[in-house]
Amino acid sequence: MQYDTGSHCVFYHRYHIVWSTKYRYKVLTGDIRLRVWDICRQVCRERGVDIIRGVLSSDHVHMFVSVPPKLAISDLVRLMKGRSSHKIQREFPQLKRRYWGRRFWGRGYSSTTNGAIKEDIVLQYLEQHIADPTAASR
């Protein structure tokens, strides 16, 4: 276990975050998928969050991240979902016409710490998820 340091603290905060597209539409493909990933990386970089592992399936996002204690996980997810939704709908106007409403992402998200399970188990799960992203999604 390797601890991270802030200006006045030492911490080890690892979160497994999952959120999905509205109605689980399988739209995270091609250029949209790459753009969503770029936006999430940009938000994490701005907030000092390290992405340990990230996987985008066709209808949901998995991220295993190290979050500094000054940032609430709800704020991080809100920033990633909000900014990516806004930019994706602006850059890919065909999504607005095709899907209902102004929301790109479904409501809510899932967040777990790795206290109950070992970090290597989460990483192993994400590696298997890359190989067959649809089998492990539900």
Side-chain angles (χ1 to χ4, degrees):
M1 183 182 316
Q2 184 174 355
Y3 290 95
D4 296 318
T5 58
S7 58
H8 300 285
C9 64
V10 176
F11 62 94
Y12 184 81
H13 296 171
R14 304 289 192 265
Y15 292 92
H16 179 207
I17 309 166
V18 182
W19 70 91
S20 62
T21 58
K22 187 174 182 181
Y23 304 123
R24 302 281 300 213
Y25 284 134
K26 299 185 182 312
V27 295
L28 296 177
T29 58
D31 291 338
I32 296 172
R33 176 190 201 117
L34 293 175
R35 187 64 178 128
V36 166
W37 184 241
D38 286 343
I39 294 166
C40 289
R41 281 196 332 227
Q42 178 186 17
V43 169
C44 288
R45 197 170 34 247
E46 289 172 2
R47 301 296 175 183
V49 174
D50 292 327
I51 300 173
I52 299 168
R53 193 77 176 121
V55 178
L56 270 72
S57 294
S58 60
D59 64 351
H60 63 282
V61 176
H62 282 273
M63 293 183 80
F64 191 51
V65 294
S66 173
V67 180
K70 65 182 179 182
L71 180 63
I73 194 69
S74 59
D75 290 338
L76 174 65
V77 175
R78 178 183 51 82
L79 286 166
M80 284 193 290
K81 287 176 66 175
R83 188 179 299 176
S84 61
S85 176
H86 178 74
K87 288 187 176 189
I88 289 298
Q89 290 183 56
R90 194 176 62 210
E91 294 172 15
F92 299 93
Q94 68 270 22
L95 291 176
K96 274 189 176 179
R97 289 190 301 271
R98 185 171 174 192
Y99 302 107
W100 298 288
R102 297 181 321 208
R103 289 178 174 49
F104 180 75
W105 299 110
R107 291 178 57 186
Y109 65 95
S110 169
S111 171
T112 59
T113 60
N114 70 327
I117 56 175
K118 301 276 189 221
E119 184 173 323
D120 58 336
I121 293 172
V122 173
L123 293 172
Q124 179 183 2
Y125 167 75
L126 291 176
E127 286 298 323
Q128 290 173 351
H129 199 74
I130 291 171
D132 189 11
T134 55
S137 64
R138 280 197 170 190

